[in-house]
Amino acid sequence: MVDASGLEESRKRNLFFLRCGLFSIVSTALLFPAWYDPFLQQLWSFLKNRSLYNSSMWESFLTMFSYIIYEIFYTLLAINPKEPCTRIDRRPGESVDVRNHTEVSGTSHLHRNGTVYIPSPRGRLREAIIYAAPVIFLDLIMVKKFVGVSKEDIIRSGGYSLSSTNSSMDSVTRLEIQQTWKVPTLHNFSWSSPVQLVRALPEAPPTSRQIVIGVIGALVLYDFFFYVPHIAMHRFSLLWHFHKPHHKHAEIHVQVTNQYVRLSLTERLTLLASANIALHAMSAHPLTRTIFVPIFLYLLVENHCGLDLPYGYHRLLPSGWAAGPEEHAEHHRKGNVNFQPYRE
């Protein structure tokens, strides 16, 4: 049997190798992007020829699929946690009003001797519909615009005609699409093109350097963009009404991340809008966005898992760079600390 000191040494050694691997990938992607070009060219060629990837709803599908996988994984960990993976917060049978710092009974998520409750298929279907409906609706009515795509392709994908005499597209809309690609534009609704089903994609893939800078930059910007409204939701009673369900639980667990009774529609859209604004600010390529989504969801879900993870992202990064599940659990307990999503 390995003693506690031996397990600790093994953990440190594994963390060292994981950090070396992560550092090697990031550093070579930044310094030697030509090494990754052949792979990225083949990957982009493959994706561009897939109808699902060309769909305007691709990122919504990817978001839902990633979340489902992560939730199942962390729920299984929470049901039967074993050393060195342990629960951070054990408060079965009660929750805390984080604005008044008072305990509220009867809102525990726990049952069957402390295991995480798994909602019925009907409940999860309702949750999926509530989550998916607004984002898919936006996918269908908004023109997708990416750097590297010709303005003509964007115009066509939006259901507009390139003809200057076409009355369906006034000069203001044409100017928005042609000169300011980041300005939101509604799809041109018509019998021949009622909604946007296909998005226009760039011909060339991004470099590995662009991917790394885009993903890291978007995560940093998201951390700031959501930090501000998050504080506001705790400070102002009117906004607290939308955020309060997210704190109505006993022991924090993974399903708190997005469960429809825990995360209001307003807050969910704020979260997604913050991520999208961050990606647009970085002029992210669609492939960069595809890589960003599962990383973003991983960080978000792990922060709410309520588990002390020996190889969590906060331990992989240098000390002081990231917060992690323990600090976010403290935010859910106290409500007046650790408002930032990821950073220390």
Side-chain angles (χ1 to χ4, degrees):
M1 181 178 292
V2 181
D3 58 16
S5 61
L7 285 173
E8 184 63 26
E9 286 301 317
S10 175
R11 245 174 281 158
K12 288 180 179 179
R13 184 168 57 252
N14 292 339
L15 270 175
F16 172 76
F17 287 121
L18 287 171
R19 286 170 178 166
C20 287
L22 181 63
F23 176 77
S24 298
I25 293 171
V26 172
S27 59
T28 55
L30 287 171
L31 298 175
F32 308 105
W35 292 3
Y36 295 86
D37 281 348
F39 169 73
L40 291 174
Q41 291 284 353
Q42 292 184 17
L43 176 62
W44 187 239
S45 177
F46 172 81
L47 291 174
K48 279 200 66 178
N49 289 311
R50 296 298 176 273
S51 57
L52 178 59
Y53 194 77
N54 283 268
S55 168
S56 63
M57 297 173 283
W58 160 253
E59 288 183 5
S60 296
F61 292 146
L62 179 62
T63 299
M64 288 185 288
F65 178 75
S66 299
Y67 177 79
I68 290 170
I69 295 299
Y70 294 142
E71 187 190 277
I72 292 172
F73 174 76
Y74 286 107
T75 296
L76 291 175
L77 280 181
I79 287 175
N80 188 28
K82 296 180 180 179
E83 293 290 346
C85 178
T86 57
R87 287 193 187 140
I88 294 170
D89 181 22
R90 286 182 176 272
R91 291 177 295 153
E94 61 186 27
S95 67
V96 175
D97 183 337
V98 296
R99 280 180 65 83
N100 301 316
H101 301 285
T102 57
E103 293 183 353
V104 181
S105 62
T107 55
S108 174
H109 73 281
L110 303 176
H111 80 148
R112 293 183 184 176
N113 196 29
T115 61
V116 176
Y117 175 73
I118 300 178
S120 66
R122 179 182 295 180
R124 298 327 296 268
L125 178 61
R126 179 187 174 193
E127 180 182 338
I129 293 173
I130 292 174
Y131 170 82
V135 292
I136 290 180
F137 175 74
L138 291 174
D139 286 336
L140 295 174
I141 68 169
M142 303 301 297
V143 178
K144 302 290 185 181
K145 305 176 185 178
F146 303 113
V147 170
V149 181
S150 70
K151 301 302 184 290
E152 291 75 17
D153 287 343
I154 293 176
I155 291 170
R156 291 192 192 95
S157 72
Y160 294 98
S161 170
L162 291 172
S163 172
S164 60
T165 60
N166 191 325
S167 60
S168 69
M169 183 179 197
D170 60 32
S171 58
V172 175
T173 305
R174 179 178 293 280
L175 188 65
E176 287 179 351
I177 292 180
Q178 292 183 326
Q179 296 185 5
T180 312
W181 70 272
K182 292 183 182 179
V183 173
T185 306
L186 284 173
H187 184 84
N188 180 39
F189 308 110
S190 64
W191 288 111
S192 59
S193 180
V195 291
Q196 176 153 5
L197 296 176
V198 178
R199 55 183 186 161
L201 297 174
E203 286 299 322
T207 66
S208 60
R209 180 181 295 158
Q210 290 171 327
I211 292 174
V212 170
I213 293 175
V215 170
I216 294 177
L219 288 173
V220 172
L221 288 176
Y222 164 78
D223 194 279
F224 172 74
F225 290 152
F226 191 71
Y227 175 76
V228 175
H230 191 192
I231 287 183
M233 284 187 282
H234 278 264
R235 295 286 188 262
F236 301 103
S237 297
L238 179 62
L239 297 178
W240 172 247
H241 170 76
F242 298 106
H243 188 54
K244 183 178 180 179
H246 190 55
H247 284 268
K248 287 188 67 176
H249 60 83
E251 175 184 337
I252 190 173
H253 67 110
V254 64
Q255 293 167 13
V256 172
T257 311
N258 190 51
Q259 196 173 355
Y260 67 90
V261 296
R262 305 293 185 202
L263 199 66
S264 68
L265 177 61
T266 301
E267 184 174 358
R268 186 179 293 117
L269 291 177
T270 301
L271 186 150
L272 293 175
S274 299
N276 265 295
I277 293 171
L279 287 164
H280 275 290
M282 295 301 299
S283 300
H285 187 283
L287 183 56
T288 302
R289 296 173 66 100
T290 297
I291 294 171
F292 171 87
V293 168
I295 295 175
F296 168 70
L297 264 295
Y298 154 68
L299 296 173
L300 193 66
V301 172
E302 184 164 296
N303 256 8
H304 290 85
C305 72
L307 298 169
D308 182 11
L309 303 170
Y311 306 115
Y313 76 91
H314 60 301
R315 291 197 166 97
L316 283 174
L317 296 175
S319 178
W321 282 31
E326 189 164 356
E327 291 199 15
H328 199 70
E330 186 181 21
H331 166 72
H332 275 250
R333 283 197 303 272
K334 298 179 179 179
N336 58 357
V337 295
N338 304 332
F339 292 100
Q340 68 282 4
Y342 305 138
R343 60 186 168 81
E344 180 68 47

